Amino acid sequence: MSGAAPLRAQPAYLPPFRQSNAQRAAFVLLAAYALYAAAQFDLTWARFIIGLSNGARFLGRMFPPSFANWEPLLKGMLESLEIAVLASVVGIALSLPLGLLSARNLMPAWVTWPARSLVALCRALHPVIVAILFVKAVGFGALAGILALVVASVGFIGKLFAEAIEEISLKQVEAVRASGASFANVITYGVLPQVFSRFVGFGTYQFDSNLRNSTMVGIVGAGGIGATLFSAFQRFDYDFVCAILLTIIAVIVIGETLTNVLKKVFRA
Amino acid sequence: MNTAADTQPTTQAALVIRKLFKAYVAGQPVLKGIDLTFGGTGLTAIIGASGTGKSTLLRCINRLVEPTSGEILLEGEDIVRLGGEQLRAARRRIGMVFQEYNLVERLTVMENLLTGRLGTIGPLDAWLRRFPPADIEHAFALLDTVGLANFANQRADSLSGGQRQRVGIARALMQEPRLLLADEPTSSLDPKTSVEIMELLREQGRANNIPVIVNMHDVELARRFADRVIGMRNGEVAFDGAATALDDGMLRSIYGGEGWLQ
Amino acid sequence: MPEARPEARQWRRFGAGEQLVRFAVYLLLVATVVAAGRSVEIIPEFLYDAPEQMQDLLVRMWPVDFAHYPKGVHAGLMETLQIATLGTLLALVLAVPFGLLAARNLTPLPPVNFFARLVLVASRSVNSLVWALLFVAVFGPGALAGMLAIAFRSIGFLGKLIGEAIEETAKGPVEALTAAGAGTGALIWYAYWPQIRPAFWSIVLLRWDINVRESAVLGLVGAGGIGMALDTALNLFQWERVAMVLVAIFVVVIIAELAVTQVRKRIL
């Protein structure tokens, strides 16, 4: 150390809050792109006005919501719930070992590489697209929805589990290893306690997410309330649409409340 | 290099280290042929500047670090050759205390103590916390010994540094070890607590009739508590003798320089 | 060793009350899963048949009809990217004001906070496919509906995270500028913005990445983009073309993820 090192790399004063030319150019490009893309979308004033009047009529027909046709609503909603529950359970059960195998601090590269690829593959396609494929494979109905959401769950929480395990303190693991514990016991005592509450957090988050998606996969025939919703739209049965949407939102809100209780119990 | 002051009557040495080499990067050895013998009792302090391989030496003994070559005989059995279940069985006979305690923070004190018995039970019992009643009784007795009788159900991360290190020692003793290793057990503690921890280590070594090997930075503590002192420099043993034989000349040759001695 | 105590002491991992709560939660979880498993309509034959059907599907998809890309896929793919990008930009414009109003430290008016949060929750609770159905009903089929669906779904996501980022800012700079007599505009631009800038851009990039995935499926309900091409190919059972579309989506999603990672490295 020889006193204060001169900061020769920078000029003495930078103008405050100056933006670099590259940043400015990026913003100009973005704006130009937005204009160009908007033009492609046939975004005209006339269309906007027509849309507004359509929208007003549409809203008028949505209210008051009609629960007269409650039987398919209840049946579809229950099926959505069942899909979400089963997909979450199976998805989490598969994600635990996959997350462990993907953790680069505990496993050798020849194990993590295939596990990480599998998880990434599960994450690459939107659940609804996966649902389409499963509908073709196992036919219409809840099974396709469950399988699609299992894939989505593995893709999402498999990754989060692995990241959580990679962030643990290895000192605690070392101490358990030093006691002569077997690999399984090292995982149970050295690794799991460090990540358990985060796992509960991810698991409940995934359940919420599966619940939302289970109301959608029906649009492609994979069971649940989505099919009812889609056909109501196609029949212009908008007061029923409104009833379905209100029910979905209510169920999601209740689901989130329950998962918060769960997190409290496990101190996540 | 070796002024072996090991004058205790040894029927069979508890731990013998022969020609131990360790290189993390090929060609740059951290340990350059260590030869040491430890008798059945007594507290040995290993001193030396940072980076001289003290920690690596200790971790080679229970194979948390893989030795490059050499022999480590624990009660006559060569640990370097062991693998799998046999290695774990050998680790059970070696208790280890860490600088930063290395407790599993989110587990309770009792669970941390019971990790010392993990080598003896299967995965399902471990998962369900089904330990033999004798182990639990032993754990409570050890908590009394280290002065933490009422802390069994507290989480480890709620304890102070000194309390954590007591738990760390109790965990190592849970293994009913034949050898106790401590890697800078007092470096994260205040001076008063450091003395208490060293007293506890010496006491427990005597009570269980096992040798204790402690890495440390504090020369004064080493002089005060150790029966034998080993000084390491550049991956080699530079001094090995009774704590009373450790004079300033020796310290200079271990640590180099002299300005710090005043 | 001290002498053993006369009475053997018991040790339990949890207190009695806590154990009861945990047991109840476990029981409830298992009961839910069992109930869902029993009442969900899964035809076992379909399940047994699934591997064979999957194989059949893959065989039909091979070889991928790459020749179809120039005339049937490329335009849709570009439209999807534009839906995602424009949708994100529009959402940003709409979300920033709500984010500012939702932040309790910047807007210390509880009723305003509540209103802003309500808007953001409503936006998040409705799936982008449902938003797409709504906008298709209002503006007719096409990319415009898709872009609005993406935008309206994203408002809640962006607004919530921007609001939270503002609430996490340090008070120091704000107090310093207030002490210097700065107005609200100056406070936002000179005290809050520099603090939230990295979080802001990473939130926007994250949402754009999600939107690329989401906009790929909007075509299934008629809201433009590559999903339309997918829908057509599916309805005509042209599996080689379906495979082509899936490959295209897959590649774009991967490129988008890589691009986001790179941009994030540059600007953060």
Side-chain angles (χ1 to χ4, degrees), chain A residues 17 19 23 27 30 33-38 40-43 47-48 50-52 54-55 58 62 75 79 81-83 85-86 89 120-121 123-126 128-129 132-134 136-143 146-147 159 196 212-213 215-216 219-220 229-230 233 238 241 245 248-249 252-253 262 265-267, chain C residues 14 18 21-22 25-26 29 32-33 35-37 39-43 46-47 49-50 53-54 57 61 79 81-83 85-86 89 122 124-130 133-134 137-145 147 153 189-190 194 197 201 213-214 216-217 220-221 230 234 237 239 242 246 249-250 253-254 257:
Chain A
F17 305 104
Q19 286 182 316
Q23 271 175 313
F27 279 110
L30 204 60
Y33 164 77
L35 285 175
Y36 159 80
Q40 298 252 304
F41 281 7
D42 188 23
L43 197 62
R47 200 173 164 197
F48 186 66
I50 295 170
L52 277 189
N54 268 346
F58 179 75
M62 274 178 90
K75 193 167 166 291
E79 192 170 53
L81 272 173
E82 289 157 6
I83 292 173
V85 167
L86 292 175
V89 169
L121 188 68
R123 202 173 53 245
L125 290 176
H126 194 278
V128 172
I129 292 181
I132 293 174
L133 296 179
F134 277 118
K136 301 300 170 189
V138 301
F140 290 96
L143 180 58
I146 294 170
L147 293 175
K159 180 171 184 256
F196 182 72
R212 285 161 207 264
N213 280 326
T215 62
M216 285 305 111
I219 290 178
V220 295
L229 179 66
F230 196 38
F233 258 108
Y238 292 134
V241 164
L245 289 182
I248 290 178
I249 292 174
I252 288 173
V253 170
L262 201 68
V265 169
F266 289 106
R267 297 193 209 117
Chain C
F14 301 109
E18 205 179 0
V21 171
R22 281 189 180 232
V25 168
Y26 284 131
L29 282 179
T32 314
V33 173
S39 62
V40 76
E41 279 173 28
I42 293 179
I43 302 163
F46 281 12
L47 192 55
D49 210 20
Q53 293 289 339
M54 261 309 191
L57 186 65
M61 282 183 163
E79 196 172 62
L81 281 176
Q82 291 181 357
I83 289 172
T85 311
L86 270 188
L89 287 177
R124 277 205 313 280
S125 299
V126 180
N127 194 293
S128 53
L129 273 171
V130 176
L133 283 167
L134 292 172
V138 172
F139 289 102
L144 179 61
M147 181 198 80
R153 170 65 182 81
W189 188 241
Y190 292 114
R197 203 174 56 102
W201 288 119
R213 288 157 205 253
E214 298 233 309
V217 296
L220 296 172
V221 295
L230 181 63
L234 279 170
F237 300 104
W239 291 107
V242 171
L246 292 184
I249 293 176
F250 190 80
V253 164
I254 301 285
E257 202 169 317

Side-chain angles (χ1 to χ4, degrees), chain C residues 6 45 51 78-79 113 150 169 184 251 253:
Chain C
E45 284 75 17
M78 292 302 115
E79 196 172 62
N113 298 152
I150 288 293
T169 51
T184 309
V251 169
V253 164

Side-chain angles (χ1 to χ4, degrees), chain A residues 81-193:
Chain A
L81 272 173
E82 289 157 6
I83 292 173
V85 167
L86 292 175
S88 301
V89 169
V90 178
I92 291 170
L94 289 177
S95 299
L96 281 172
L98 268 175
L100 190 60
L101 292 178
S102 308
R104 281 174 291 203
N105 54 347
L106 297 182
M107 295 289 167
W110 59 268
V111 176
T112 60
W113 193 82
R116 297 178 83 84
S117 305
L118 180 61
V119 171
L121 188 68
C122 288
R123 202 173 53 245
L125 290 176
H126 194 278
V128 172
I129 292 181
V130 179
I132 293 174
L133 296 179
F134 277 118
V135 166
K136 301 300 170 189
V138 301
F140 290 96
L143 180 58
I146 294 170
L147 293 175
L149 293 186
V150 164
V151 168
S153 307
V154 168
F156 192 74
I157 46 177
K159 180 171 184 256
L160 291 180
F161 281 179
E163 284 172 0
I165 294 175
E166 284 176 358
E167 284 166 18
I168 62 171
S169 149
L170 283 177
K171 295 187 166 180
Q172 300 174 30
V173 178
E174 184 186 41
V176 180
R177 271 180 66 208
S179 75
S182 63
F183 182 75
N185 286 356
V186 171
I187 299 292
T188 314
Y189 276 73
V191 178
L192 268 188

